[in-house]
């Protein structure tokens, strides 16, 4: 005799919902714990913080902590600690302390290690940064463009700033705030003949008459920010991606907010094409230089790509 089975239609659905809710709760708790650890690192940045110390603080195994921290914040605990110490170092240098004193107070264990680390992240030597860019010459060029006032500046390594703004004086103030003691000169045939050509190529691009120029860039940011910016350099004109796809593209799928923050911190408009990143629902999301500029850039690039595809 066949056994009669009593069905409960909603049971599996409710069980699934409970499991999904429990899963979200665990993920949210884990994210809060990792962000709390990040604050702990920042509060103790000048100290030696081993992975085992962090594991004891979080009551997790070192291996699980390492994996989860990187998945949540996009960088390892060590890289996050290095970035926090670098911020301390920059504060000391800006306050006028000696290089050695600033290195010691920031908790770096050796001068050779800190010089290699800061060269990658600051784009300049410690002594130059301490002096607010003293010893560096930045050439700048200003233009009224189809997208509004634009200022571009470059070091001998490449473009370090391209900003839209309301007027030249505001943009110059922003440039001087970034490099308060650098020698800042207007572009000319004697100072920076390349920059005039670069900004003309930039103007042609945003006007929709030329592709994005492949200019040398002097990227300055944290290791995570530079990963984001370099990934964006590979996004083709006319294409867009979501913040989640961007985070996944750099190997940090859970660091969506951090990826969005890196886009917001970008100082080089258009050339580092953070305007090509949208919300998951296709909405524009944010843009440092205004939503209307973002909309115009995306629409123009899509039209240019469509024309090129039709022409074969």
């Amino acid at each position: 005799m066949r056994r009669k089975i009593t069905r409960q239609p909603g049971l599996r659905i409710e069980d699934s919902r409970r499991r999904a809710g429990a899963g979200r709760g665990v993920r949210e708790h884990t994210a809060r714990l990792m962000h709390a650890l990040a604050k702990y690192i920042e509060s103790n940045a000048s100290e030696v913080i081993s992975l085992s110390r962090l594991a004891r603080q979080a009551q997790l195994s070192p291996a699980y902590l390492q994996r989860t921290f990187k998945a949540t914040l996009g960088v390892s605990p060590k890289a996050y600690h290095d970035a926090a110490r670098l911020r301390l170092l920059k504060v000391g240098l800006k306050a006028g302390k000696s290089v050695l004193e600033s290195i010691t107070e920031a908790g770096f264990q050796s001068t050779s290690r800190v010089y290699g680390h800061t060269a990658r992240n600051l784009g300049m030597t410690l002594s130059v940064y301490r002096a607010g860019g003293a010893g560096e010459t930045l050439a700048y060029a200003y233009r009224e463009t189809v997208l509004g006032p634009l200022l571009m500046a470059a070091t001998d390594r490449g473009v370090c700033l391209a900003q839209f703004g309301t007027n030249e004086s505001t943009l110059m103030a922003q440039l001087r705030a970034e490099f308060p003691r650098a020698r800042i000169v207007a572009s000319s045939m004697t100072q920076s003949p390349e920059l005039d050509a670069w900004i003309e190529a930039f103007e042609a691009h945003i006007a929709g008459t030329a592709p994005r120029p492949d200019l040398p860039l002097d990227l300055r940011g944290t290791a995570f920010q530079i990963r984001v910016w370099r990934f964006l350099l590979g996004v083709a004109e006319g294409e867009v991606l979501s913040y989640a796809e961007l985070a996944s593209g750099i190997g940090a799928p859970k660091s969506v907010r951090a990826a969005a923050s890196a886009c917001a911190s970008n100082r080089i408009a258009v050339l580092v094409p953070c305007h090509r990143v949208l919300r998951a629902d296709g909405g524009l999301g944010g843009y440092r230089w205004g939503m209307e500029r973002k909309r115009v850039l995306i629409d123009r690039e899509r039209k240019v790509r469509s024309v090129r595809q039709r022409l074969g």
Side-chain angles (χ1 to χ4, degrees):
M1 180 176 180
R2 182 173 295 177
R3 183 179 177 184
K4 185 177 180 180
I5 300 175
T6 303
R7 298 188 180 275
Q8 297 178 331
L11 183 60
R12 291 183 180 177
I13 295 174
E14 290 303 318
D15 284 348
S16 177
R17 286 174 178 169
R18 281 195 291 270
R19 286 194 297 269
R24 281 194 299 271
V26 170
R27 288 193 295 272
E28 289 171 1
H29 172 74
T30 301
R32 285 195 299 270
L33 179 58
M34 293 303 108
H35 284 287
L37 275 179
K39 289 182 179 179
Y40 176 81
I41 292 172
E42 290 172 2
S43 299
N44 300 276
S46 63
E47 302 175 15
V48 176
I49 305 178
S50 64
L51 185 60
S52 58
R53 173 177 169 178
L54 289 176
R56 287 193 300 272
Q57 179 72 19
Q59 297 184 342
L60 299 171
S61 73
Y64 180 80
L65 169 61
Q66 171 88 357
R67 184 171 63 252
T68 307
F69 191 97
K70 186 170 184 178
T72 303
L73 293 168
V75 294
S76 67
K78 180 179 179 300
Y80 194 93
H81 185 202
D82 281 344
R85 286 188 298 178
L86 178 59
R87 285 191 289 272
L88 280 181
L89 176 64
K90 290 162 73 173
V91 168
L93 293 172
K94 280 190 172 182
K97 296 179 180 179
S98 71
V99 171
L100 184 58
E101 184 181 9
S102 298
I103 289 173
T104 302
E105 290 186 358
F108 285 97
Q109 300 302 303
S110 69
T111 55
S112 60
R113 185 162 181 266
V114 72
Y115 271 92
H117 178 80
T118 52
R120 291 191 301 274
N121 287 278
L122 285 177
M124 58 179 82
T125 65
L126 288 177
S127 57
V128 169
Y129 188 85
R130 174 175 176 264
E136 282 205 315
T137 296
L138 273 69
Y140 76 89
Y142 173 82
R143 295 287 192 277
E144 291 286 346
T145 74
V146 294
L147 291 181
L150 167 73
L151 186 139
M152 181 185 287
T155 65
D156 58 1
R157 289 175 292 278
V159 176
C160 61
L161 180 142
Q163 299 265 25
F164 293 107
T166 54
N167 53 57
E168 184 173 5
S169 61
T170 301
L171 288 167
M172 286 300 299
Q174 292 175 6
L175 176 61
R176 291 192 178 101
E178 290 285 341
F179 304 94
R181 294 176 188 164
R183 180 171 175 256
I184 298 176
V185 298
S187 177
S188 70
M189 291 305 293
T190 56
Q191 300 294 347
S192 180
E194 300 93 348
L195 187 56
D196 286 328
W198 292 352
I199 200 165
E200 286 175 10
F202 186 96
E203 283 186 279
H205 172 64
I206 61 177
T209 59
R212 178 168 59 93
D214 186 16
L215 304 182
L217 302 178
D218 184 358
L219 299 177
R220 304 185 183 204
T222 67
F224 183 84
Q225 287 172 335
I226 290 175
R227 281 170 60 197
V228 169
W229 300 337
R230 285 179 174 164
F231 182 85
L232 289 174
L233 293 174
V235 178
E237 186 176 355
E239 292 184 359
V240 294
L241 72 165
S242 69
Y243 290 103
E245 289 170 332
L246 172 58
S248 294
I250 62 168
K254 296 186 179 179
S255 301
V256 178
R257 289 186 180 179
S261 178
C263 289
S265 301
N266 174 30
R267 299 182 190 90
I268 305 178
V270 183
L271 297 177
V272 177
C274 56
H275 61 277
R276 295 175 185 164
V277 190
L278 308 177
R279 291 200 314 246
D281 63 2
L284 288 177
Y287 191 54
R288 180 172 183 166
W289 297 283
M291 302 300 287
E292 185 57 32
R293 286 192 178 102
K294 185 171 186 176
R295 183 179 293 106
V296 169
L297 284 166
I298 291 173
D299 290 347
R300 189 166 290 157
E301 289 183 356
R302 284 172 169 168
K303 288 178 182 177
V304 169
R305 184 181 185 188
S306 177
V307 169
R308 288 176 182 160
Q309 287 176 338
R310 286 201 305 271
L311 294 176

